[in-house]
Amino acid sequence: MFYSGTTYFGYTEREVKEVFTALYPRLCAYVNGVTGRGDLADDIIQEIFYKFLKRRPCLDRAKVPAYLFSMAHNECLNWLRQNKIQIGRASCRER
């Protein structure tokens, strides 16, 4: 595979692609399991990778998957909270 050598917030393109490729299917399954909405997986995973790369945590490579799953869990909870509020408002308007 061709890598351009581009860096993303201090991580090489190769490092980002390796982590993303390795964890994407499992993160999708996790997000789908928590939210019950498979269509949200891409959006949530994109958001957590962006935040992860932007924050540039100094982590051992072995801890990166756990960190990303924690981020995914928190993003799912945020979505569930926001969705509950929106559903609650919609049902109040229907009455």
Side-chain angles (χ1 to χ4, degrees), residues 9 19 29 33 35 55 60 73:
F9 301 104
V19 171
T35 63
R55 291 179 187 157
D60 228 355
H73 180 77

Side-chain angles (χ1 to χ4, degrees), residues 37-54:
R37 299 264 318 261
D39 58 324
L40 294 174
D42 285 336
D43 293 337
I44 289 176
I45 293 168
Q46 180 181 10
E47 185 67 24
I48 66 169
F49 266 90
Y50 176 76
K51 287 179 179 180
F52 172 75
L53 294 172
K54 189 175 177 184

Side-chain angles (χ1 to χ4, degrees), residues 81-95:
R81 261 188 238 107
Q82 291 169 357
N83 193 46
K84 180 179 177 184
I85 290 169
Q86 291 174 356
I87 290 171
R89 288 182 183 162
S91 64
C92 288
R93 290 181 193 149
E94 293 171 1
R95 290 182 190 175

Side-chain angles (χ1 to χ4, degrees), residues 8-41:
Y8 301 95
F9 301 104
Y11 294 96
T12 66
E13 183 178 3
R14 177 174 289 203
E15 291 172 325
V16 172
K17 284 185 178 184
E18 285 174 0
V19 171
F20 185 82
T21 302
L23 295 178
Y24 181 78
R26 291 175 35 210
L27 286 167
C28 280
Y30 183 78
V31 169
N32 187 28
V34 173
T35 63
R37 299 264 318 261
D39 58 324
L40 294 174

